[in-house]
Amino acid sequence: MENHEHHKNKKMDHSKMDHSKMKNKKENHSKMDHSNHDGNAPMGMAGHDHHKMMIADFKKRFWVTLVLTIPILIFSPMIQGFFGYEFLLPGNPYILFALSTIVYFYGGWPFLKGIVSEIKSGAPGMMTLISMAITVAYVYSSATVFGLEGVDFFWELATLIAIMLIGHWIEMKSVLGASKALQLLVSMMPAEAHRVKGDTIEDISLEDLLIDDIILVKPGEKVPADGIIVEGSSYLNESMLTGESKPVKKEEKDKVIGGSVNGNGSIKVKVEHTGKDSYLNKVITMVEEAQKTKSKMQNLSDRAAKWLTYIALGIGFGTLAVWLLLGFPFVYALERMVTVMVIACPHALGLAIPLVVAISTSVSAQNGLLIRNRTAFEESRKISVLLFDKTGTLTKGDFGVTRIESVNESYSTEEILRLSSALEQSSEHPIAVGIIKKVREDKIDIPKLENFNAITGKGVEADVEGKQVKVVSPGFLRDEKIEIPKDAFSNAAETVVFVLIDGQLVGYIALADEIRPESAEAIKIFKKNNIKVLMATGDNEITAKAVSDKLGLDGYYAEVLPHQKVELVKELQGKGEFVAMTGDGVNDAPALAQANVGIAVGSGTDVAAETADIILVNSNPQDIANLILFGKATYNKMIQNLIWATGYNVVAIPLAAGVLYSSGFVLGPAVGAVLMSLSTIIVAINAQLLKRKIGKK
């Protein structure tokens, strides 16, 4: 009986689990330090508001700087000589100095503040390079006003700061889109709930809602909290929470998720979770945690950005020295150095990965893919073998009783069903649900039980009306050397459970589980991507083979207990396979932890599947195909951004240093600033394109 250890109310005793592997496998959820880089993706809702303020601040500083840059350009002798006009006011150098001082301190303040933060943290980066470039330009130009021989640099200083500000402003507006999906999740909860008190209904705020309160949800309203329907039925739209586009019919005793939208009927709901315990809040927390988590790719990007800063500083001062040694004027050598430092800002590199992380995590959450381990998600592209649990994943998990057979004249088929139903009444396992459904259809009263016990991976037992009743898998009979009736298994894809009373086999119940229509399509996608698909099930050989043959799997393992799935995963890994295990977040916990990528499926509102790297809200195997393809697309975007961000520097830094001087091509600081800002915006836009990739085959 597949994973029939089901009366544990879907809770794991984590104290008994071996977490040693998980400690190595799970990411260190250390928080990303964005203090030095205000342009990075916002990570929380507080960060979201801060980000908006930063955008407004950069916008204001840009417009003020632009207004001041215009007279600086007009009064600059170099610009006048370039355009062939003369317009010098009395004290012209001092006017330029005054205007440029305002531009330097007001427009350049975010960068000057940034260098202090970067030096304090011992991580010089983008702000260090920009600050050094504008400070050197300002100090040298100011010195020329007060007696130093040379040409001022004010017009280039002003245009440089203006372009840097507009680059940051545009890029930050683009980055803001990364948190939009998370903001949408936050805004999904209504502000109020209609609480039912006897015959009256009162409107209360969500903060005042308590567990076990009864709330009324009218047609078209959002459900205020997780709960169970106690009255009425309706179709609910859960697309923003689960990725399921079709409205789902919900009736009495069905669970509803806070944030879903009620359709055509009024329903009364008994509140199960509120506030931080709600499904939506768990999803938001998980998304935020995943966005904060640094994967291997993120750490690689951080190291590259750090080294780029050191290289830029080295090349910058080296450029200054070389041009001076070649006998060029100090102002020319200085211009080359400033251009190198501006061009080499690791802004695009610093943004390349965090922005993709923020977008992929929040977009995944909207489509029912909850990422707990960033590295595992990015490495899903390496998956070579996918090991499926059968029930509820490849199949619907919606069992219906097809046969009840008695092998003992003392017990009728109805009596076998009645006694076995006592053991299954409180379970959510698909087999148990199928048996209870049959009992209700036949209007059979369910007897009470005593001394209930789960037989690990093999079934359940209890005392019912003075008899010891067991409902067990074929594996249990084999272990106990009990002969299995010859006609117990048909050639259909049936699951068979056996009923023992006082140690004697009295009969069996066969249930059929329909194969999901999406399974075949998903398996085609896996095969197209060179992924072998295997199935490990607790079901018998005949059932396993029937499902495997129908779906065209690469292999199957029948009558496998939960702990044996770990051995299967290890065996496959020993053959050099990169294994993804999909299964129940509770029963298959050890195998999920052992796998290279652990995917918990069918968790529904139980998002706390501790050992899984990725949780799928739905059990649809097509979601796993989407997950793997989206993981590949995410990794590709990261690589594209890294190639662009580093490749741009490889080409642009030598040009900034003046390698093509002999050909008459010289890159000015302002043009360098435009290129640097453009590279950052290209990286941001490329990351945003990732949103189109989810669900693409």
Side-chain angles (χ1 to χ4, degrees):
M1 202 183 326
E2 186 171 359
N3 297 343
H4 209 39
E5 188 186 344
H6 54 267
H7 280 269
K8 294 191 176 180
N9 198 24
K10 292 191 74 80
K11 299 286 178 214
M12 260 193 294
D13 181 1
H14 288 289
S15 63
K16 294 176 186 172
M17 278 182 55
D18 177 14
H19 283 67
S20 58
K21 188 251 174 189
M22 287 161 58
K23 281 174 189 169
N24 294 331
K25 180 177 176 181
K26 301 297 171 221
E27 298 266 27
N28 173 20
H29 281 217
S30 58
K31 298 194 174 176
M32 291 167 85
D33 178 16
H34 295 295
S35 59
N36 305 340
H37 185 186
D38 294 320
N40 260 342
M43 294 306 164
M45 288 304 102
H48 182 89
D49 293 335
H50 172 68
H51 206 73
K52 276 186 170 178
M53 287 165 61
M54 290 300 300
I55 291 172
D57 183 60
F58 270 95
K59 180 181 177 182
K60 184 179 169 187
R61 289 180 192 274
F62 164 69
W63 285 115
V64 171
T65 301
L66 183 64
V67 168
L68 294 172
T69 299
I70 293 167
I72 290 171
L73 289 169
I74 292 169
F75 298 139
S76 173
M78 198 178 290
I79 296 295
Q80 290 181 21
F82 183 75
F83 286 103
Y85 72 93
E86 191 172 316
F87 184 51
L88 297 173
L89 296 175
N92 201 74
Y94 299 104
I95 293 169
L96 285 173
F97 168 71
L99 292 172
S100 299
T101 299
I102 298 168
V103 167
Y104 172 70
F105 284 105
Y106 180 73
W109 180 249
F111 312 113
L112 298 172
K113 190 173 68 171
I115 190 175
V116 176
S117 300
E118 289 185 350
I119 289 169
K120 273 184 183 174
S121 64
M126 179 195 67
M127 295 298 180
T128 301
L129 290 174
I130 296 175
S131 297
M132 287 191 70
I134 63 174
T135 301
V136 168
Y138 174 72
V139 171
Y140 174 76
S141 300
S142 300
T144 63
V145 173
F146 297 101
L148 183 73
E149 278 190 36
V151 183
D152 75 69
F153 220 49
F154 287 132
W155 75 270
E156 291 195 294
L157 167 72
T159 51
L160 180 58
I161 291 173
I163 292 164
M164 283 294 181
L165 287 170
I166 194 172
H168 269 65
W169 173 27
I170 293 169
E171 173 245 311
M172 287 172 79
K173 280 183 76 176
S174 175
V175 168
L176 191 63
S179 67
K180 285 280 172 69
L182 197 53
Q183 189 187 20
L184 277 171
L185 285 173
V186 173
S187 66
M188 283 173 66
M189 281 296 195
E192 290 186 331
H194 313 303
R195 183 161 62 187
V196 179
K197 283 278 189 182
D199 295 332
T200 61
I201 293 170
E202 56 180 0
D203 288 345
I204 59 165
S205 67
L206 286 197
E207 293 79 40
D208 298 328
L209 205 55
L210 302 172
I211 291 169
D212 292 338
D213 275 351
I214 305 295
I215 51 175
L216 173 70
V217 186
K218 298 173 185 175
E221 288 186 337
K222 290 177 181 175
V223 177
D226 298 354
I228 295 176
I229 297 175
V230 292
E231 188 181 309
S233 66
S234 185
Y235 281 88
L236 272 77
N237 185 338
E238 299 178 340
S239 59
M240 269 294 289
L241 298 152
T242 66
E244 176 58 63
S245 56
K246 290 182 289 189
V248 183
K249 189 173 185 187
K250 301 278 185 175
E251 298 172 319
E252 279 186 39
K253 297 189 178 174
D254 284 341
K255 289 186 177 182
V256 293
I257 306 172
S260 54
V261 181
N262 188 19
N264 55 344
S266 287
I267 51 173
K268 284 184 182 175
V269 176
K270 185 179 181 182
V271 176
E272 277 196 322
H273 302 124
T274 60
K276 65 178 175 28
D277 295 323
S278 71
Y279 167 78
L280 188 59
N281 201 72
K282 285 178 182 174
V283 171
I284 291 164
T285 304
M286 196 175 290
V287 171
E288 287 180 328
E289 281 300 313
Q291 286 183 348
K292 288 172 189 170
T293 304
K294 287 193 180 186
S295 65
K296 288 177 185 172
M297 283 292 288
Q298 174 64 62
N299 289 324
L300 171 67
S301 170
D302 288 350
R303 284 198 301 275
K306 192 174 181 180
W307 277 106
L308 181 59
T309 302
Y310 294 134
I311 290 165
L313 287 168
I315 294 175
F317 286 109
T319 299
L320 178 72
V322 168
W323 285 109
L324 288 174
L325 288 171
L326 290 172
F328 281 78
F330 181 75
V331 70
Y332 183 83
L334 189 67
E335 188 180 81
R336 296 296 94 231
M337 183 186 85
V338 168
T339 309
V340 165
M341 286 184 171
V342 170
I343 281 279
C345 282
H347 201 187
L349 194 55
L351 190 69
I353 305 301
L355 189 53
V356 173
V357 166
I359 291 169
S360 67
T361 314
S362 51
V363 169
S364 296
Q366 278 186 302
N367 286 271
L369 315 175
L370 306 180
I371 299 164
R372 295 185 72 250
N373 182 340
R374 288 289 329 166
T375 296
F377 173 63
E378 288 161 24
E379 290 190 338
S380 61
R381 72 189 188 283
K382 297 181 187 174
I383 294 169
S384 60
V385 169
L386 199 48
L387 186 62
F388 270 103
D389 186 23
K390 177 183 76 72
T391 306
T393 309
L394 293 172
T395 61
K396 285 185 175 178
D398 186 12
F399 281 84
V401 174
T402 52
R403 294 180 295 139
I404 305 171
E405 301 288 347
S406 171
V407 295
N408 187 315
E409 290 177 1
S410 303
Y411 293 93
S412 66
T413 55
E414 186 177 308
E415 184 66 0
I416 289 168
L417 180 64
R418 188 181 77 85
L419 291 171
S420 62
S421 70
L423 280 68
E424 309 291 3
Q425 60 189 320
S426 59
S427 173
E428 290 180 7
H429 191 280
I431 290 171
V433 171
I435 290 172
I436 296 301
K437 189 172 153 192
K438 176 67 175 169
V439 166
R440 288 197 177 126
E441 282 171 7
D442 293 354
K443 295 185 170 58
I444 297 171
D445 291 329
I446 301 172
K448 290 182 180 176
L449 58 77
E450 292 175 336
N451 304 323
F452 176 84
N453 179 47
I455 308 165
T456 307
K458 293 178 183 176
V460 288
E461 61 184 355
D463 294 333
V464 184
E465 297 175 348
K467 302 179 181 73
Q468 190 198 44
V469 181
K470 287 187 174 80
V471 180
V472 294
S473 66
F476 179 87
L477 297 193
R478 268 188 281 277
D479 290 349
E480 297 296 318
K481 307 288 189 292
I482 299 171
E483 191 180 341
I484 296 171
K486 288 179 183 176
D487 55 354
F489 302 117
S490 69
N491 57 5
E494 286 181 328
T495 295
V496 182
V497 293
F498 296 87
V499 182
L500 280 72
I501 296 176
D502 294 332
Q504 297 296 310
L505 177 65
V506 298
Y508 53 88
I509 302 169
L511 303 98
D513 182 13
E514 193 182 336
I515 293 173
R516 282 179 174 272
E518 308 95 343
S519 295
E521 185 59 35
I523 282 149
K524 280 182 195 168
I525 295 168
F526 298 135
K527 291 196 170 183
K528 193 171 148 189
N529 284 271
N530 301 314
I531 297 170
K532 282 185 276 188
V533 186
L534 304 173
M535 179 179 72
T537 176
D539 265 335
N540 61 76
E541 176 75 20
I542 295 168
T543 302
K545 189 175 187 309
V547 173
S548 179
D549 290 349
K550 190 167 182 182
L551 290 173
L553 303 183
D554 294 300
Y556 65 90
Y557 303 92
E559 296 177 28
V560 178
L561 296 174
H563 71 271
Q564 292 173 319
K565 290 180 185 177
V566 181
E567 301 309 316
L568 283 177
V569 172
K570 284 181 181 174
E571 187 185 316
L572 290 165
Q573 288 170 332
K575 293 175 183 173
E577 303 285 5
F578 197 87
V579 183
M581 168 72 196
T582 71
D584 184 285
V586 177
N587 293 323
D588 295 323
L592 290 172
Q594 176 63 38
N596 300 95
V597 181
I599 305 168
V601 295
S603 300
T605 56
D606 177 21
V607 295
E610 290 295 329
T611 48
D613 300 308
I614 297 148
I615 299 165
L616 301 190
V617 178
N618 293 318
S619 306
N620 188 341
Q622 209 136 11
D623 284 350
I624 300 169
N626 287 345
L627 163 74
I628 293 167
L629 296 178
F630 191 54
K632 281 186 179 180
T634 298
Y635 182 77
N636 290 341
K637 280 290 173 208
M638 289 178 174
I639 295 297
Q640 286 166 18
N641 276 358
L642 284 177
I643 288 170
W644 171 260
T646 51
Y648 143 83
N649 280 297
V650 167
V651 174
I653 289 175
L655 291 178
V659 292
L660 294 182
Y661 174 80
S662 57
S663 307
F665 180 83
V666 177
L667 205 63
V671 177
V674 169
L675 289 175
M676 198 284 280
S677 295
L678 194 61
S679 74
T680 306
I681 292 163
I682 288 168
V683 163
I685 291 169
N686 188 42
Q688 292 288 349
L689 294 175
L690 185 63
K691 290 177 183 177
R692 299 181 184 181
K693 297 286 183 184
I694 188 81
K696 292 274 178 79
K697 304 295 179 286

